[in-house]
Each structure stands twice: as C-alpha cells, then as structure tokens.
C-alpha cells in the first residue's frame, strides 16, 4: 500500500522535507481524488504526529538549529498548504463538474479545508517557536562568547605583569573594562540563588497534599512561574538575563535523553510561553515528569525515585567508563604492542626494546581479554538490574588479581621505558598513528588507575541503595572485595622489591599485609659498647605461612633510584599452636612497643 | 636518561577523599560542575592548553581519587610531576591537617631533585558552602613555612578562583620544568664580564 509505504518512509526519516517530496511525487502519479485525499490526510496527520518531535527540536536547539532555520524558510513559503488548497480547489472543481462521486468528495473537501486551516495555524505557532529558539540560541551564543572572552582575558593576562605597579594597574583596568567579571558572576549567582529558592518554594507548595491520597507521579516544576520570576527580577543585561538557561542548555547538549522544555526567553514578539507547554504531547510530558525527579536538587535525597535514578546514573557511569577503558586498552595493544611484530615498523624499534614486549606491557593482554570478553558483558547485563552488579564483582574477584601481576611488573616496565625514552621513533610513530596526545607512559598507567576506581563507584552506588537490603549487602560485599583487591595490589608492589631472599616467596602463600615497624635488637657488644639496645626500622611482610623481616634501602644506581627491601629474617613456626601462641605474644609486644614509640614521638 | 617533551607539564592532584579533587579538575578543564549528576570518577587525566609567559604549554592533570589509601600505587603516578596540587575542604578542617602527610607522601614517592623547592599549590575548596576557611591563617602560615607553596581558596562548584589557581599551577610547573632542563643540560661556564659587578664582598 502506498499509504503504509509513505508512513514507513516517514517513520524512517522523520523529516518534513522527505515527506513533502514523496507527497509531491504522489500528486503527480495518482491524480484521483480518493487517493489524493487519503494521502493528504496521511500527510497532515504526519505533520500532526511530528509536532512533538519538532517541539523537542526547539529544545535541542543546538543540534537542530540549522535544520530549524531551513524549516523556517520552508514553512514560511507554506508550499504544502498551497498544495492542500490546490487539492481542495480541484475537488471543488470536480463537484462543479458534477463528478459521479460528488457525495464522497464534498465532505472530503470540507475536511481538507479544516485541515488546511489547522495546519496553517500550527505552522504559525511553530514559526513563532522557531523564532524564539533562534533568539534563545543567539543569546546563549552571546553569553558563551562573553564567558570565553572573560576566560581568555584572564588566561592571557600575564601574571608577572602584577609584579610591577603599572603592570598591575593595567591588568586591573583590563579586568574592570571587561564589564567587571566578579560583579556579573555575583549577579549570576544571585539570580541562580533566587531561582533555586523559588523552585524550593514551588516544590513545597506542590507537596502540600490537596487530597488524602496523593498522586504518585511527581509533577514537574511549573517552569513558567520560574520564568516569570526571572522576568521580574532579572536586572542584568539582556544577554545574561538567564544564566540558568545557559547552564541548563549546556547540560542539554550533553544529556540529550533528558527532554525538558527549558525556559524560553521573553520574546519581543510577545509569543506566550504557554503555547509551548500546551502543545506538549502526553508522551513527552510523561517522559519529562519521570525525569523531573532526578533533576530536582539534593533536598529530596530520601525520595526513592531520586535514589534509584542516581544509582542508575552511577551504574551508567560504571558501564560507560568500562567501555572507554576497554577501548583504551585495545588502543595500547593494537597501537603499540602488536605493532612491535609489524614488519614495516621493525626498523623503527630501538634495539633495547627488541624481545622485551613482555616487560613493557606485562600481562596487559590478559587484562584486556578479561574486561572485553567477560567483565564488560557482565556489567552490561546488569544495565537494567543494578541489584546484580555486586555479584559481578564478587564472582570475578580472582580475575582482578591479574592487576597485582601488572602492577608488580610496572616498575620493570617503567625502567625499560625510561631507558628508551618516550621520544624514540617507534613510540612517536605509534603515538602519531593513534592520535594520542600523551605518550605511551600515560596509557600504561590506565590499569593502575582503573583498579582503584571500582571501589569509588561501588561506594557511590551503595550510597543510593538504602532502600534495598539485599542489594545493599551484595554491594557491600563487592566493595569489600574490591578494596581487598586494591590493598593486595598495593601490598604486592612492595614485595617485588625484596632482594636476597633464599627461596621462593610463592611457597609462603599469599601476602596478607606489609608495613614498616620498629624492631629493637641487642647489638654485638664489641661493635657498639654504649648503645646496647637500638631500635631499627624494619619492613614486615606477613604471608599466609610466615613473616619476613626486611631492611628498607634506597638503591641509587644510575638514574633510576629504586627502593629495595633487603631480606633479613624469616620467621617460621614449628607447629600451628606454637605459631598462634607466638603470634599472639608478638602482636602484644609489637603493639606495646609501637604504642611506646608513638608516645615518645608525641612527646617529642 | 629520560628526554622530556617540553610542552607537557605533569600536575598531580592530592588530598583526602571527598575534598573535590575530581570536581576541581572537571571545573578547570571542562568548566562544568554538576550537582545532580556528578561523575564519580571522571577521567583519569585531563589535559588543557594554557599560555604561560607567552608560551603555550599543555597541562596534564592527574586525578588520584580512589588511591588515597594505597600509597605504593602512587609511585607510578608521581614520578616526573612538575607541580603538585594539595586540596583540602574548607568546611572540613581535618582535611587541612592532612596536607602535611600528603606533601611528605608526595615528596617521598616522587622523590624530586630538591625537596624543599618543589612547587606545591594548596587549594582550600568549597568556598561556595563556607566563604572563608576557618583555617585560613593556619594554612597561610603552613604554606609560607614550606617554601615554594601558593595558597588559593576556590569553589569547584561555581568556579570561583579555580582559573587563577591553575594558572599559578601552570606557572610553577613551567618554572620547575625549566629548572630541571637546566640541570639536565648544565649551562656553559659563564665568563665574567666587565660590566657585571661582583656581588661578593660588602658594598656598604
């Protein structure tokens, strides 16, 4: 069917222009009044359906601005109305000619007339809106330019000018000339504050229940009132009358999903704001009101919806940053690591680097595979079920220990990279191809940074999960496990610096804790006669099966100063009960000594 | 020896959790602060080009949020930094008390050439909540006692003084970078010139 085809076409492209072209073609091909009428109806109803879309576009001015201007021109010609009129006239002509289907044509002509009128009215209204949006856009642009100017002025003012009197005076005059930044900022803040307090007031008014049973759906803040408030109180220059708009439209540009009719500026043409909100479709209104809870200020944190929305937001951040992370790892691997095997790059690779891929990148590929093939998918599966996120982390706890291997290798990798330098032709070429602003070193730190961020995100999610006990427990468990992972990674980085240990550290189980302690031992009499008891700094490593005592040393050879732990003692108990007893006692003694030292330090 | 690309200046932001490190960085680089939908972690590092002394430099700012309690992870980050920003929260006086610890931690891990001359910028954040820090004078004297330390009170929320603070950061970082380059390539021996008066000896 032609009608469905056009409908599909329309749905596909969702633009007036295309519908119109199609429409015109149709007119030429099917010049029977029946078809013409049905297509015409379809076309008009398309226009009517399109209305909310267009209204949104008024809000998304930035994106649709150019299209809007184009439409503005098109609309002003009102070609399509002419077509409708033409059709109606030809219909009337057919009636005059006493067409066989005169009974069916007449009501259709009347209907066409009605639609033409309605359409014309809508066009007029839309034109007004578009003009307003244009105006708003201009103002925002102006405000933006002004802000940029201010920032540039401040950035370009040389601070050393301030050292001399004339320089300082000049700088002050410059700033004052620039419409007094501070004052305007203050005003913006004032107006912002006024808006906030008014919103608060309105919210309170709305919250007073009119009936014993209150509607669950929260009402959007009536923005027109805020707008009125602004109009009355806004005393700053035209361009800065709505700092709020600037801020919010900036957010709009980044957060498209949030459809919301923000305040329109007072139009010189006298168009009313209400026309915008009146014509909002129900669908748009619903989506708006469901979002409005999330945009309200922190005063209603207890609100369940707000909490859920915020939690969803953190979850989104977790997933989005995970995606970015995977891409970044891929960049490093494809852009640097795999390039080392590229035949055409061989001549660029510095000699020191040949065969040292493992040292430079460590187990980055393993980490990448885990995140790309497993973890990202598991997180994405939780997109709609934040309650399941905790489980992802707990289940994958073991895999995260890949990071301790990576971090332990990081020191070797760093030393190698420092030896080669970031400026070698191979790295430079890879960096250029990747269009990375920063050298490889910055990107090799990504895993180290990422592993510390999960706990932050989990903490944040936990903050917004008061209402769901089960979820809370799981998130807490996830948080604890991720903190353990980071602690382990952190501790194990010390372990790599242990030197002189006869044997394999892996035989002593997992490293549980490490830290500096003060150990006091008796010195050999012949060496130091008068100081018989001397406290020493020892770095202790507590393993599952033993304790290691090491001496911390700064090893400064060449340019890479390195901290090392010289192995001194290994404590191993003959049996478990003995161990437990000793551990208890040692703990007591050490704690005592530690406390004593602390006291002496405090006295000092 | 590591050859440094002169145009990049590395800046590390340190401070207790919740003082607004990420927000400061976002405000400075993106000129944005969001109350409702504040990103928890933001970017690992951000870059921004600034003009200092008619020179275009790129500040590379590293956020350390999340690493607060894991000292040895910092090692990799701190190396090669040209300036360190220490942040505290003016509404939470105890965060100011940690400045000393953060400074020491940084110096120990980054191990710059001259500990006493390494540039720091201290920022008291959240002046939108409390206009003036209670610890203003304490912080001032702390800063003056530590050598090359500047002090700013900012608000990452409304952007107040953020720009100035980071402009100083850039300035100091560039000085530090120039200093390092000078030491790495010792300047040729200066032959005494006749018109240069010797400052040795008392002239009074």
């Amino acid at each position: 069917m032609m009608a469905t085809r056009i409908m599909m076409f329309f749905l596909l492209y969702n633009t007036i222009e295309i519908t119109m072209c199609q429409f015109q073609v149709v007119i030429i091909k099917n010049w029977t009044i029946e078809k013409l009428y049905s297509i015409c109806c379809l076309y008009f109803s398309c226009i009517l359906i399109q209305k909310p879309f267009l209204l949104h576009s008024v809000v998304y001015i930035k994106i649709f601005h150019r299209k809007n201007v184009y439409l503005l021109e098109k609309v002003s010609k009102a070609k399509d109305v002419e077509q409708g009129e033409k059709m109606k006239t030809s219909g009337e002509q057919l009636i005059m000619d006493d067409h066989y289907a005169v009974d069916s044509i007449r009501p259709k002509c009347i209907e066409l007339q009605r639609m033409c009128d309605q359409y014309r009215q809508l066009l007029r209204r839309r034109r007004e809106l578009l003009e307003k949006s244009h105006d708003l856009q201009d103002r925002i642009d102006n405000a933006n330019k002004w802000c940029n100017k201010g920032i540039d002025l401040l950035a370009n003012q040389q601070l050393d000018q301030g050292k001399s009197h004339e320089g300082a005076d000049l700088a002050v005059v410059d700033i004052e000339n620039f419409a007094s930044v501070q004052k305007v900022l203050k005003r913006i803040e004032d107006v912002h504050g006024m808006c906030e307090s008014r919103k608060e007031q309105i919210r309170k008014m709305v919250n007073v229940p009119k009936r014993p049973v209150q509607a669950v759906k929260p009402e959007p803040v009536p923005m027109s009132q805020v707008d009125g408030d602004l109009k009355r109180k806004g005393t700053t220059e035209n361009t800065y009358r709505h700092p709020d708009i600037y801020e919010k439209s900036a957010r709009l540009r980044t957060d498209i999903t949030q459809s919301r009719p923000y305040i329109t500026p007072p139009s010189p043409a006298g168009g009313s704001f209400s026309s915008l909100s009146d014509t909002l479709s129900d669908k748009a209104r619903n989506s708006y009101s469901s979002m409005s809870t999330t945009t309200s200020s922190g005063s209603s944190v207890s609100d369940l919806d707000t909490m859920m929305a915020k939690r969803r937001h953190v979850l989104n951040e977790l997933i989005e940053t995970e995606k970015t992370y995977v891409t970044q790892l891929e960049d490093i691997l494809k852009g640097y690591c795999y390039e080392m095997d590229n035949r055409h790059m061989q001549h660029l690779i510095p000699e020191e680097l040949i065969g040292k891929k493992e040292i430079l990148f460590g187990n980055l590929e393993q980490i990448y595979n885990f995140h790309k093939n497993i973890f990202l998918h598991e997180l994405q599966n939780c997109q709609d079920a934040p309650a399941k996120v905790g489980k992802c982390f707990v289940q994958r706890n073991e895999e995260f220990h890949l990071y301790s291997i990576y971090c332990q290798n990081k020191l070797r990798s760093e030393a190698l990279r420092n030896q080669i330098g970031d400026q070698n032709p191979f790295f430079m070429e890879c960096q250029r191809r990747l269009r990375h602003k920063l050298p490889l070193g910055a990107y090799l730190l990504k895993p180290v940074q990422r592993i510390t961020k999960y706990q932050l995100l989990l903490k944040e999610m936990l903050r917004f999960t008061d209402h769901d006990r089960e979820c809370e427990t799981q998130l807490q468990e996830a948080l604890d496990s991720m903190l353990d992972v980071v602690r382990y990674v952190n501790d194990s980085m010390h372990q790599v610096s242990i030197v002189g240990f006869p044997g394999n550290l892996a035989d002593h189980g997992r490293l549980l804790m490490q830290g500096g302690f003060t150990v006091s031992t008796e010195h050999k009499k012949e060496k130091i006669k008068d100081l018989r008891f001397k406290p020493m700094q020892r770095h202790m490593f507590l393993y599952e099966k033993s304790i290691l005592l090491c001496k911390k040393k700064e090893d400064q050879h060449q340019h890479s100063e390195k901290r090392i732990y010289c192995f001194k003692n290994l404590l191993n108990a003959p049996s478990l009960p003995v161990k437990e007893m000793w551990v208890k006692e040692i703990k007591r003694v050490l704690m005592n000594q530690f406390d004593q030292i602390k006291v002496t330090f405090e006295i000092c | 020896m590591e050859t440094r690309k002169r145009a990049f200046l590395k800046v590390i932001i340190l401070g207790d959790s919740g003082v607004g490190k990420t927000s400061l960085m976002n405000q400075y680089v993106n000129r944005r602060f969001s109350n409702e939908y504040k990103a928890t972690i933001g970017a690992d590092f951000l870059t921004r080009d600034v003009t200092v002394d008619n020179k275009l430099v790129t500040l590379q700012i590293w956020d350390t949020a999340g690493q607060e309690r894991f000292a040895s992870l910092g090692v990799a980050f701190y190396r090669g930094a040209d300036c360190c920003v220490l942040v505290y929260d003016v509404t939470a006086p105890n965060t100011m008390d940690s400045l000393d610890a953060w400074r020491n931690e940084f110096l120990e891990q980054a191990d710059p050439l001259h500990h006493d001359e390494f540039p720091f910028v201290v920022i008291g954040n959240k002046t939108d909540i409390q206009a003036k820090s209670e610890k203003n004078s304490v912080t001032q004297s702390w800063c003056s006692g530590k050598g090359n330390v500047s002090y700013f009170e900012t608000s990452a929320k409304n952007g107040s003084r953020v720009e100035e603070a980071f402009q100083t950061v850039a300035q100091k970082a560039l000085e530090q970078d120039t200093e390092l380059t000078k030491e790495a390539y010792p300047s040729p021996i200066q032959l005494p010139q006749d018109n240069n008066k010797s400052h040795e000896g008392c002239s009074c």
Side-chain angles (χ1 to χ4, degrees):
Chain A
M1 277 300 293
M2 177 67 76
T4 41
R5 269 213 326 255
I6 298 173
M7 198 60 171
M8 274 167 65
F9 208 73
F10 168 72
L11 286 173
L12 265 175
Y13 290 95
N14 216 2
T15 62
I16 287 187
E17 297 96 305
I18 288 165
T19 331
M20 217 141 79
C21 298
Q22 185 81 352
F23 177 46
Q24 279 155 2
V25 173
V26 167
I27 290 174
I28 299 158
K29 282 189 181 165
N30 310 278
W31 195 244
T32 40
I33 192 79
E34 288 284 340
K35 269 190 186 158
L36 203 63
Y37 170 73
S38 61
I39 290 159
C40 195
C41 275
L42 182 71
Y43 175 49
F44 279 117
S45 57
C46 284
I47 302 275
L48 293 176
I49 293 167
Q50 203 158 7
K51 202 174 55 185
F53 164 75
L54 259 182
L55 284 170
H56 282 207
S57 76
V58 177
V59 183
Y60 306 145
I61 328 152
K62 192 82 187 172
I63 298 118
F64 290 98
H65 185 58
R66 280 174 56 198
K67 186 159 269 178
N68 277 354
V69 172
Y70 175 64
L71 280 177
L72 200 66
E73 285 165 10
K74 206 140 203 174
V75 161
S76 62
K77 286 177 195 158
K79 250 187 185 164
D80 16 355
V81 181
E82 273 171 35
Q83 298 281 19
E85 294 272 8
K86 219 192 236 168
M87 226 182 299
K88 196 197 75 183
T89 325
S90 63
E92 276 162 358
Q93 192 62 45
L94 285 172
I95 297 171
M96 297 266 255
D97 295 348
D98 210 8
H99 193 272
Y100 68 93
V102 69
D103 286 344
S104 91
I105 293 169
R106 188 171 288 119
K108 279 165 192 165
C109 278
I110 294 165
E111 183 64 7
L112 268 175
Q113 176 68 47
R114 196 188 58 77
M115 281 195 295
C116 279
D117 289 346
Q118 198 186 353
Y119 182 49
R120 218 177 269 123
Q121 204 186 344
L122 282 170
L123 281 178
R124 190 175 48 79
R125 224 186 265 172
R126 195 175 304 135
R127 191 162 53 226
E128 279 170 15
L129 280 173
L130 288 169
E131 274 162 8
K132 269 192 242 167
S133 83
H134 200 148
D135 186 42
L136 174 64
Q137 188 58 44
D138 279 351
R139 280 160 197 242
I140 289 171
D141 274 351
N142 278 337
N144 214 345
K145 271 181 207 149
W146 181 82
C147 288
N148 283 337
K149 229 169 95 185
I151 287 155
D152 287 348
L153 177 80
L154 289 181
N156 289 330
Q157 256 185 9
Q158 283 152 35
L159 282 184
D160 57 359
Q161 258 184 8
K163 283 175 190 157
S164 69
H165 261 291
E166 307 92 276
D169 288 347
L170 214 75
V172 169
V173 170
D174 265 1
I175 293 175
E176 275 172 357
N177 282 349
F178 180 65
S180 170
V181 183
Q182 290 298 332
K183 243 188 250 169
V184 178
L185 274 179
K186 183 87 181 61
R187 275 189 207 162
I188 289 176
E189 224 170 278
D190 287 350
V191 179
H192 190 82
M194 285 192 290
C195 292
E196 284 299 318
S197 61
R198 175 57 58 100
K199 265 199 269 183
E200 202 54 57
Q201 262 182 330
I202 293 165
R203 206 171 288 126
K204 270 183 201 154
M205 269 160 55
V206 171
N207 282 347
V208 174
K210 286 172 192 149
R211 288 166 291 153
V213 183
Q214 207 186 347
V216 181
K217 198 168 80 181
E219 282 297 311
V221 180
M223 295 305 281
S224 52
Q225 289 186 44
V226 181
D227 186 32
D229 180 46
L230 269 170
K231 269 185 226 171
R232 261 179 273 115
K233 293 191 180 174
T235 48
T236 44
E237 295 165 56
N238 255 359
T239 337
Y240 317 117
R241 197 170 289 166
H242 298 291
D244 217 6
I245 295 175
Y246 175 51
E247 195 192 305
K248 279 176 178 160
S249 66
R251 196 186 313 148
L252 270 171
R253 258 172 266 146
T254 56
D255 204 350
I256 298 290
T257 49
Q258 231 174 298
S259 61
R260 178 170 174 174
Y262 285 111
I263 316 160
T264 50
S267 151
S272 66
F273 173 75
S274 59
S275 66
L276 179 67
S277 50
D278 285 348
T279 45
L280 256 183
S281 75
D282 277 348
K283 197 179 154 204
R285 200 184 287 271
N286 283 342
S287 71
Y288 161 35
S289 55
S290 72
M291 291 307 290
S292 70
T293 51
T294 61
T295 53
S296 66
S297 72
S299 63
S300 52
V301 178
S302 58
D303 187 354
L304 191 69
D305 280 359
T306 318
M307 298 269 276
M308 300 270 272
K310 286 197 170 172
R311 191 173 67 175
R312 213 176 308 124
H313 171 67
V314 183
L315 180 59
N316 274 340
E317 189 184 347
L318 172 61
I319 295 171
E320 286 310 311
T321 50
E322 184 73 15
K323 277 187 209 158
T324 319
Y325 177 54
V326 168
T327 325
Q328 284 167 339
L329 292 184
E330 196 171 291
D331 273 1
I332 308 172
L333 286 173
K334 289 193 176 154
Y336 288 98
C337 188
Y338 300 156
E339 285 298 319
M340 283 178 73
D341 300 328
N342 185 346
R343 227 162 19 93
H344 304 291
M345 298 284 275
Q346 291 303 318
H347 64 286
L348 293 173
I349 300 176
E351 214 174 300
E352 300 97 313
L353 191 61
I354 293 169
K356 292 192 179 157
K357 206 157 82 174
E358 292 288 308
I359 298 177
L360 189 62
F361 299 101
N363 62 341
L364 194 75
E365 196 170 1
Q366 268 180 301
I367 292 178
Y368 167 71
N369 285 333
F370 163 62
H371 283 272
K372 183 176 185 270
N373 302 329
I374 301 170
F375 200 60
L376 178 60
H377 293 294
E378 290 183 349
L379 285 183
Q380 278 174 327
N381 288 341
C382 303
Q383 183 113 45
D384 302 312
K388 287 196 278 178
V389 173
K391 234 178 188 168
C392 292
F393 284 94
V394 179
Q395 275 174 349
R396 297 293 167 193
N397 185 283
E398 275 306 308
E399 274 90 340
F400 280 112
H401 283 102
L402 285 173
Y403 279 86
S404 74
I405 301 170
Y406 184 80
C407 290
Q408 286 179 48
N409 178 66
K410 192 77 192 58
L411 297 171
R412 286 205 302 158
S413 162
E414 200 115 304
L416 176 64
R417 214 170 36 75
N418 283 345
Q419 190 193 342
I420 310 165
D422 279 332
Q423 306 288 310
N424 78 76
F426 176 66
F427 286 173
M428 297 273 274
E429 177 60 17
C430 292
Q431 190 183 339
R432 193 188 61 78
R433 289 190 187 186
L434 284 166
R435 294 205 185 92
H436 278 175
K437 203 168 182 181
L438 297 181
L440 175 64
Y443 286 87
L444 285 176
L445 277 175
K446 288 277 171 195
V448 190
Q449 282 205 304
R450 184 65 183 166
I451 195 68
T452 63
K453 304 293 186 198
Y454 290 118
Q455 44 113 358
L456 284 182
L457 288 161
L458 287 168
K459 262 183 212 160
E460 199 70 5
M461 278 192 83
L462 208 53
R463 264 182 60 204
F464 303 121
T465 317
D466 280 355
H467 55 280
D468 187 345
R469 286 276 155 239
E470 200 194 324
C471 178
E472 200 180 358
T473 323
Q474 282 191 359
L475 280 175
Q476 187 61 51
E477 207 182 323
L479 174 61
D480 291 345
S481 88
M482 283 321 280
L483 279 171
D484 273 348
V485 167
V486 191
R487 197 174 301 125
Y488 178 67
V489 171
N490 186 48
D491 287 347
S492 61
M493 279 180 78
H494 286 269
Q495 175 182 252
V496 288
S497 308
I498 297 174
V499 292
F501 180 71
N504 193 355
L505 280 171
D507 297 340
H508 298 269
R510 184 171 275 184
L511 177 67
L512 300 175
M513 279 176 76
Q514 57 80 34
F517 280 85
T518 306
V519 182
S520 304
T521 55
E522 195 183 10
H523 273 268
K524 286 168 190 164
K525 280 178 195 169
E526 60 269 24
K527 271 191 179 172
I528 302 160
K529 277 171 185 159
D530 39 1
L531 275 175
R532 296 187 58 173
F533 210 62
K534 193 192 170 198
M536 300 181 296
Q537 291 296 326
R538 283 288 180 265
H539 210 86
M540 303 237 313
F541 292 88
L542 175 64
Y543 285 89
E544 280 173 319
K545 293 179 188 161
S546 53
I547 296 173
L548 234 66
L549 289 169
C550 298
K551 187 176 180 180
K552 191 175 168 183
K553 266 190 188 172
E554 300 291 338
D555 180 28
Q556 280 171 337
H557 67 95
Q558 287 175 350
H559 282 279
S560 56
E561 68 283 354
K562 213 170 113 189
R563 176 192 52 206
I564 54 164
Y565 299 109
C566 300
F567 167 69
K568 289 284 173 190
N569 317 85
L570 172 72
L571 299 181
N572 243 331
S575 69
L576 194 65
V578 177
K579 178 185 168 184
E580 276 167 2
M581 212 170 72
W582 277 85
V583 163
K584 204 175 145 194
E585 202 55 22
I586 288 169
K587 189 176 157 192
R588 197 183 61 79
V589 171
L590 282 176
M591 284 314 285
N592 264 349
Q593 291 179 342
F594 192 66
D595 284 346
Q596 277 171 13
I597 299 295
K598 243 174 42 187
V599 170
T600 31
F601 265 119
E602 273 162 20
I603 292 166
C604 290
Chain B
M1 183 170 49
E2 189 183 352
T3 6
R4 299 170 57 88
K5 203 173 175 188
R6 290 291 309 279
F8 284 101
L9 300 174
K10 187 171 174 182
V11 176
I12 308 286
I13 306 187
L14 295 175
D16 287 358
S17 54
V19 295
K21 297 186 288 292
T22 309
S23 296
L24 267 173
M25 188 168 100
N26 281 338
Q27 171 61 257
Y28 177 63
V29 178
N30 303 322
R31 290 158 197 167
R32 198 164 57 203
F33 181 90
S34 164
N35 227 349
E36 293 107 12
Y37 276 161
K38 188 166 96 62
T40 310
I41 57 174
D44 298 339
F45 57 77
L46 290 172
T47 57
R48 189 177 146 184
D49 296 333
V50 269
T51 324
V52 186
D53 297 342
N54 288 327
K55 241 187 223 165
L56 190 70
V57 296
T58 301
L59 276 191
Q60 167 197 342
I61 308 165
W62 290 76
D63 187 11
T64 58
Q67 296 163 28
E68 289 89 348
R69 289 161 48 199
F70 309 102
S72 57
L73 292 180
V75 186
F77 293 91
Y78 304 164
R79 289 269 157 84
D82 296 303
C83 183
C84 177
V85 181
L86 303 173
V87 189
Y88 81 98
D89 177 352
V90 296
T91 66
N94 59 319
T95 59
M96 191 265 139
D97 301 336
S98 320
L99 291 185
D100 230 13
W102 282 117
R103 181 175 174 274
N104 291 338
E105 155 92 19
F106 177 83
L107 289 175
E108 189 188 322
Q109 303 278 12
D111 202 18
L113 230 44
H114 307 289
H115 281 212
D116 295 336
E117 287 158 33
F118 189 85
F120 286 90
V121 171
V122 171
I123 291 182
N125 192 30
K126 306 195 188 178
T127 53
D128 50 285
I129 303 175
Q130 193 175 309
K132 202 171 159 71
S133 169
E134 281 172 36
K135 294 247 178 176
N136 184 294
S137 55
V138 183
T139 319
Q140 294 276 15
S141 59
W142 185 85
C143 290
S144 53
K146 296 290 177 198
N148 194 0
V149 184
S150 303
Y151 179 49
F152 289 89
E153 283 181 9
T154 68
S155 161
K157 186 170 180 176
N158 61 29
S160 158
R161 301 212 70 200
V162 172
E163 198 70 34
E164 290 105 303
F166 277 97
Q167 187 66 32
T168 306
V169 169
Q171 180 99 22
K172 278 176 178 276
L174 184 64
E175 281 164 16
Q176 168 75 7
D177 190 63
T178 320
E179 199 66 29
L180 278 182
T181 322
K182 255 193 232 160
E183 298 207 13
Y185 306 96
S187 50
I189 301 159
Q190 297 277 319
L191 290 172
Q193 286 176 2
D194 291 340
N195 54 353
N196 268 6
K197 274 186 185 172
S198 167
H199 288 280
E200 283 170 291
C202 183
S203 58
C204 52

